[in-house]
Amino acid sequence: MANIIILGSQWGDEGKGKIVDLFSERFDIVARYQGGHNAGHTVFIGLKKFILKLIPSGILRPGKKAVIGNGLVLDPAALLDEIDALEAAGVDVTTNLAISDRAHVLFPQHRMMERLSEGRAGRISIGTTSRGIGPCYEDKIARRGIRVAELLDRDAFRAHYDSLMEEKHAIARTFSIDEEDDDRGIRDRYEAMAERIRPMVCDTALLLNNAIRDGKRVLFEGAQGTMLDIDHGTYPFVTSSSASAGGACTGTGVAPTRIGGVIGVSKAYITRVGGGPFPTEAHGEEGELIRRKGSEFGAVTGRPRRCGWFDAPLLRYTAAINGFDSVVVTKLDVLDDFDEIPVCVGYRVDGRVLDGMPARVSVIEKVEPVYERLPGWKTSTFGVSSYDELPARAKDYLAFLERHTGVEAGAVSTGPERTQTMVRTGSRLESLLR
Ligand code: IMP
């Protein structure tokens, strides 16, 4: 009975939330390991649409436990909004959610610091979600952050908070962007919110390790995608956490020896939000067609996503970084209308075909994708729920992706509903889920 990691193999928004929601039926616990409310997982159950930002989508399955691991940065206001919305829809959150006492607390002042780094002349603008994620992780790494356990200890919290905010305003004044946040009011609000989250806070590493020892199954849920990982992504156009598979261990306190498999999620094409290099970006009419058909607008920010063609070298790279056992290919139906579908099979820079992903953004920006063009299937696959019923050319497309990435397409999805994802019989994925 394997514990598995599910994560994005591209630049995020691959449809992980939907896949985690579907597979969580076979697990006891779903644990998030990094990021914050910059993530947005959209899950449909019947006619109800849920956008989950912090809470793992396993919460939507009655009786399953959801864990917010130590690797996250937590805005308690965003968390409580999400809890209230879910509870109003009849989901029992408070009894099933566990929050790590070691997760870091995100404050409005982190957003002020983000405006400083994103807006200042001469700085590279990353095109962040403006949620304060980066500055909160900065405090964590600089060892001056406030963790959830400290938020719950009023005296310790007050002293630490006051000195941290004094420092933030000193920096902001230096750059003339000080916004005179109501520090005192924010502190009072956080103290009040601490009381609401207190019953859910615990040592989640202990909880997870005890559960695994007792034979329970854990599904680790990544946010963002591997190409946004702080180390392995297109730095500096990345998020500030370890979105790749390694982050599941550091972000929850569960050892690699307890993990039985890693599943990547990939769109049948590719998207990116925010700035940064994107070798297979489709500009003009074709990009617009993908965006419209795929409703490619950010779940958190509403920003239009940049759209492009499937990038096999990128997936080969993320498969290596994460050790994918299998890949779930989502949104196949978005490609239904194309006469021809280009797939990038290699990167060429200055006439040379590359072996791997360049470290430098300036080199990735120079990449000329080597495309092969596959015939489209020109028939609707929307909602098809059996692999055998896919048109032959759609199956050929999937087989082509498998050949050029070296990883099986263990499942395919053709729509947002739980019934519209098919796990292939005999796949490695099927055996991992068993
Ligand atoms: P941050 O995570 O807000 O610091 O943003 C850093 C980069 O990651 C920006 O390019 C964002 O658009 C991107 N990003 C952050 N979260 C997500 C996500 O959930 N999906 C897609 N892109 C994301």
Side-chain angles (χ1 to χ4, degrees), residues 26 51 89 137 165 202 229 249 259 350 369 431:
R26 299 161 199 239
I51 296 183
Y137 277 112
M165 295 315 157
C202 67
D229 180 280
C249 296
I259 314 267
D350 298 333
S431 69

Side-chain angles (χ1 to χ4, degrees), residues 11-13 38-40 114 126-131 133-134 223-224 228 237-240 272-275 300 303:
W11 277 291
D13 308 316
N38 49 349
E114 181 152 29
I126 308 297
T128 69
T129 60
S130 310
R131 297 293 184 271
I133 304 293
Q224 288 83 46
L228 290 171
F237 296 96
V238 292
T239 192
S240 298
R272 160 159 223 174
V273 205
V300 170
R303 290 181 289 176

Side-chain angles (χ1 to χ4, degrees), residues 43-328:
V43 182
F44 285 89
I45 300 174
L47 291 177
K48 276 193 188 161
K49 177 179 175 181
F50 295 89
I51 296 183
L52 301 173
K53 296 174 188 161
L54 280 161
I55 301 176
S57 38
I59 200 75
L60 300 173
R61 297 259 181 202
K64 307 284 177 193
K65 257 217 153 349
V67 168
I68 290 182
N70 56 277
L72 276 85
V73 288
L74 193 71
D75 178 336
L79 176 70
L80 290 171
D81 279 353
E82 207 170 315
I83 292 176
D84 290 344
L86 285 168
E87 297 227 316
V91 180
D92 181 7
V93 181
T94 39
T95 50
N96 291 321
L97 180 65
I99 301 166
S100 171
D101 51 7
R102 288 157 170 88
H104 276 252
V105 182
L106 190 150
F107 296 93
Q109 293 88 339
H110 286 127
R111 288 192 278 279
M112 172 180 75
M113 300 312 287
E114 181 152 29
R115 282 192 286 279
L116 167 67
S117 60
E118 282 285 278
R120 209 159 73 79
R123 284 291 296 262
I124 298 171
S125 171
I126 308 297
T128 69
T129 60
S130 310
R131 297 293 184 271
I133 304 293
C136 187
Y137 277 112
E138 279 178 41
D139 281 350
K140 170 179 175 172
I141 299 301
R143 295 157 297 177
R144 57 172 176 251
I146 295 177
R147 306 204 292 184
V148 169
E150 202 177 5
L151 175 68
L152 300 184
D153 176 345
R154 183 166 294 209
D155 291 340
F157 169 64
R158 283 200 169 187
H160 192 164
Y161 172 90
D162 289 347
S163 85
L164 186 65
M165 295 315 157
E166 196 182 308
E167 195 177 306
K168 302 235 169 293
H169 287 292
I171 296 169
R173 272 195 303 276
T174 308
F175 293 101
S176 311
I177 63 131
D178 199 10
E179 291 176 1
E180 294 300 329
D181 277 321
D182 172 16
D183 289 335
R184 190 66 189 279
I186 293 171
R187 195 182 71 188
D188 292 346
R189 280 210 309 280
Y190 272 62
E191 285 174 356
M193 290 190 289
E195 294 315 309
R196 280 197 64 196
I197 66 169
R198 186 185 293 279
M200 292 173 269
V201 175
C202 67
D203 178 346
T204 50
L206 189 68
L207 180 150
L208 289 167
N209 283 301
N210 285 347
I212 293 170
R213 182 199 59 203
D214 296 342
K216 299 245 169 22
R217 289 187 88 181
V218 182
L219 194 165
F220 298 88
E221 172 180 355
Q224 288 83 46
T226 309
M227 295 308 288
L228 290 171
D229 180 280
I230 184 74
D231 287 280
H232 302 290
T234 43
Y235 190 91
F237 296 96
V238 292
T239 192
S240 298
S241 60
S242 298
S244 55
C249 296
T250 53
T252 60
V254 174
T257 48
R258 300 289 176 270
I259 314 267
V262 184
I263 311 299
V265 183
S266 165
K267 279 177 183 156
Y269 49 96
I270 191 165
T271 61
R272 160 159 223 174
V273 205
F278 185 171
T280 63
E281 183 162 14
H283 299 280
E285 181 84 356
E286 287 181 324
E288 195 50 48
L289 204 61
I290 299 175
R291 187 173 307 112
R292 226 176 316 119
K293 185 107 198 262
S295 302
E296 294 295 356
F297 297 89
V300 170
T301 58
R303 290 181 289 176
R305 295 178 184 142
R306 299 156 66 192
C307 300
W309 305 114
F310 190 88
D311 185 335
L314 180 142
L315 207 125
R316 285 200 291 273
Y317 171 72
T318 59
I321 295 294
N322 297 301
F324 289 147
D325 292 290
S326 186
V327 168
V328 178

